[in-house]
Amino acid sequence: MKWKELDLDFPLGVLVVDCKGTILFANKFAQIRLMKVENPSMLTIQHLLPTSNIIRVIKNGRHEVNQLELDDSYYLLEFPLEKGDRGVIILVPENVFQNIIEKSPAYTSLLQETESIMNLSGELVTITDHNGIVLRVNNTCEKIMGIKEYDFVGRSVLDLQKSGVVNLSSTAKVLETNQKVTLQQVTKSGRRLLVNGYPIFHNDGELSKVINISKDITEIGDLKAKLEETNRTLTYYQEELLKLQHKGNDLIFKSKSMEEVYGLASRIANVDATVLIQGETGVGKEVLARTIHNLSSRRDKPFVKVNCGAIPETLIESELFGYAKGTFTGGNSNGKVGLVQAANHGTLFFDEIGELPFNLQAKLLQVLQEKQFTPLGTTKNINVDVRFITATNRKLEEMVKEGTFREDLYYRLFVIPITIPPLAERKQDIPFLLNHFIERYNQKYKQAKSFDKDVIEFFMELDWKGNVRELQNTVERLVVTVPENRIQIHHLPENLAGEKPMRFSTRNLNLKSAMDEYEKSLIIEALKSSSTLKEASEKLGIDPSTIGRKIKKHSIEIAKLQHIL
């Protein structure tokens, strides 16, 4: 057949091209569909079909098949001619092309194999063209995506994303970047997918298709959520257990100020930095030190207390650092292990550190800095691994200025300072402390005592100069000495009765009036010991707006109260 005989009646476009891209011939079908000109020699194939690979086909001698989209969809079948300097391009409509190849046994076999591979993994496989139109999906589409296969094929991925079938399109990301992408996707049915999108390119480097392989990770996500919930539950019970632990150490509190103290203690428990606990006598410095130890990783190791004010100055060095055999006449013949060495791998608590003699402060500084010391009567250094906690009711800064406490030791101790407020500033803790102490001493002395409500209210009015220790001793005395099981006001010892606040009397008041008077007195006490309304409200455990309303209700004149701004 001659080229000129391929006229309009021939249902395929035919173009003949030389190795330079010059169009030597185009039948009328090709002219109408592509060039729309009478003289094809005026054009080159590069201008007419920029995506054609015919020049490469001529040089390589191998045919290629490419898809071309015009007004309709066409396939380009490109073949080299025998002479080696020309090639032919056949423009085939898509429906004709499909009809031809689908009748091919090889094509049918390939199609079946492809289908089997797509459905083999159990994962969702999606194939789209270079415009993001879904060409094929495998048979897991309905199960994973929640929609029928025929509702999926032919739709744009952007349309699927916009309509909420998926929250994020992996194909759109591949088309945007021309690279493989991995992302998490949520379907309209609520399933979570891990999607890998792969770009497929033509030989000329142009994007041809996108293949997406989606793994359903919903159950993995559910397991992760359950694990997180389990971890939250575990954390809750751990916190509750820690509360039980600190309650076992008598660190009982309800007030916000003590909650902050305990929170700080919990955070630094596993940090081996030195802690300096400050506060008045009897506030519970030793209790807090033991709590820090029990919350730390050293909890199973020794907790050794050194009361610097209780050991005679002549003995304190040997008690702390020990001595070698034969050091003292009348001493232990085998020598003695000091308290510092006894606390190895544990916690050493120096109570009343301000009472430590000046000449021993340098030796303690050596232990803090170098973790080693020298016992009396020897020159051999002993290494120790000790966590140091110190406590004092004295103002160490003033002692440094007076020259009675080493400045370098002060700064070595003052790494993490914790101040415990006096009981008078946290009266919300009193009822809980009373309950704790009476349970302890009831068990110790085999009693069944309880406090009358008036006694609890009375105790909350007192200033407790001796703080928690005074309160504890008072409860023990009452449990032992009061003959009745119900402890009432008239059972209180004279030293407490003499301090009874006489702000109001309940004899001539009904219950409502008595409660109003009591509420007013509590607010006044909180205001007197606070510098702001917010601080007073925190002490009372109420909102600032609430305390403002109650001040107005009880006609309390704030200006006359001390410290209030």
Side-chain angles (χ1 to χ4, degrees), residues 114-321:
T114 304
E115 192 72 25
S116 298
I117 293 171
M118 286 185 68
N119 295 321
L120 186 63
S121 67
E123 299 175 352
L124 175 63
V125 180
T126 308
I127 302 176
T128 72
D129 66 13
H130 64 282
N131 290 319
I133 305 299
V134 178
L135 301 175
R136 296 191 62 191
V137 293
N138 64 348
N139 58 14
T140 61
C141 176
E142 184 174 359
K143 177 182 176 182
I144 293 179
M145 302 302 295
I147 61 175
K148 301 287 186 181
E149 180 180 343
Y150 55 77
D151 290 329
F152 206 73
V153 174
R155 296 180 64 179
S156 165
V157 293
L158 296 178
D159 176 52
L160 293 171
Q161 178 176 303
K162 185 177 180 180
S163 60
V165 175
V166 293
N167 69 324
L168 186 63
S169 170
S170 55
T171 299
K173 290 291 183 183
V174 173
L175 295 177
E176 179 184 338
T177 62
N178 275 0
Q179 295 179 347
K180 174 192 172 184
V181 300
T182 300
L183 52 81
Q184 287 196 31
Q185 202 175 70
V186 179
T187 70
K188 194 172 187 177
S189 60
R191 305 200 69 79
R192 290 185 290 276
L193 309 178
L194 180 63
V195 187
N196 287 305
Y198 301 90
I200 306 298
F201 298 97
H202 287 299
N203 291 334
D204 61 359
E206 290 294 322
L207 183 67
S208 171
K209 293 178 177 61
V210 178
I211 298 178
N212 296 283
I213 301 176
S214 306
K215 182 178 180 62
D216 191 342
I217 59 171
T218 305
E219 292 184 2
I220 297 175
D222 291 342
L223 289 173
K224 183 179 179 181
K226 290 179 181 178
L227 179 60
E228 291 175 351
E229 178 63 27
T230 301
N231 287 334
R232 285 193 295 269
T233 303
L234 178 61
T235 300
Y236 168 77
Y237 283 116
Q238 286 176 334
E239 291 174 351
E240 291 300 308
L241 179 60
L242 291 177
K243 290 179 181 178
L244 290 176
Q245 288 177 338
H246 84 252
K247 284 184 178 179
N249 288 316
D250 296 348
L251 190 61
I252 307 300
F253 60 84
K254 180 67 174 178
S255 62
K256 184 174 180 61
S257 58
M258 281 304 294
E259 184 178 334
E260 292 174 352
V261 168
Y262 177 73
L264 177 57
S266 301
R267 291 193 297 275
I268 56 93
N270 275 323
V271 180
D272 279 344
T274 304
V275 179
L276 175 62
I277 304 174
Q278 299 170 297
E280 297 178 1
T281 299
V283 292
K285 295 187 287 293
E286 180 182 348
V287 174
L288 181 60
R290 289 184 181 274
T291 298
I292 294 173
H293 172 76
N294 290 335
L295 292 174
S296 74
S297 58
R298 298 174 182 264
R299 64 178 67 88
D300 297 326
K301 303 301 180 181
F303 177 89
V304 178
K305 175 186 175 182
V306 179
N307 191 328
C308 300
I311 305 175
E313 187 172 342
T314 54
L315 298 177
I316 192 167
E317 184 172 8
S318 61
E319 289 293 314
L320 287 178
F321 305 108

Side-chain angles (χ1 to χ4, degrees), residues 483-528:
E484 290 88 2
N485 283 340
R486 192 71 173 175
I487 301 173
Q488 300 182 27
I489 289 288
H490 66 271
H491 291 130
L492 300 183
E494 291 184 2
N495 67 312
L496 289 182
E499 297 179 15
K500 182 178 179 180
M502 301 299 294
R503 293 185 176 89
F504 65 92
S505 171
T506 61
R507 293 182 181 274
N508 298 319
L509 295 175
N510 59 32
L511 179 60
K512 184 178 183 307
S513 299
M515 292 303 295
D516 284 345
E517 284 293 319
Y518 181 63
E519 182 180 71
K520 180 178 180 179
S521 66
L522 287 180
I523 293 173
I524 290 175
E525 284 300 310
L527 291 172
K528 283 183 177 180

Side-chain angles (χ1 to χ4, degrees), residues 38-50:
E38 294 294 334
N39 187 2
S41 61
M42 300 294 293
L43 297 173
T44 64
I45 197 66
Q46 291 91 335
H47 290 90
L48 183 64
L49 296 172

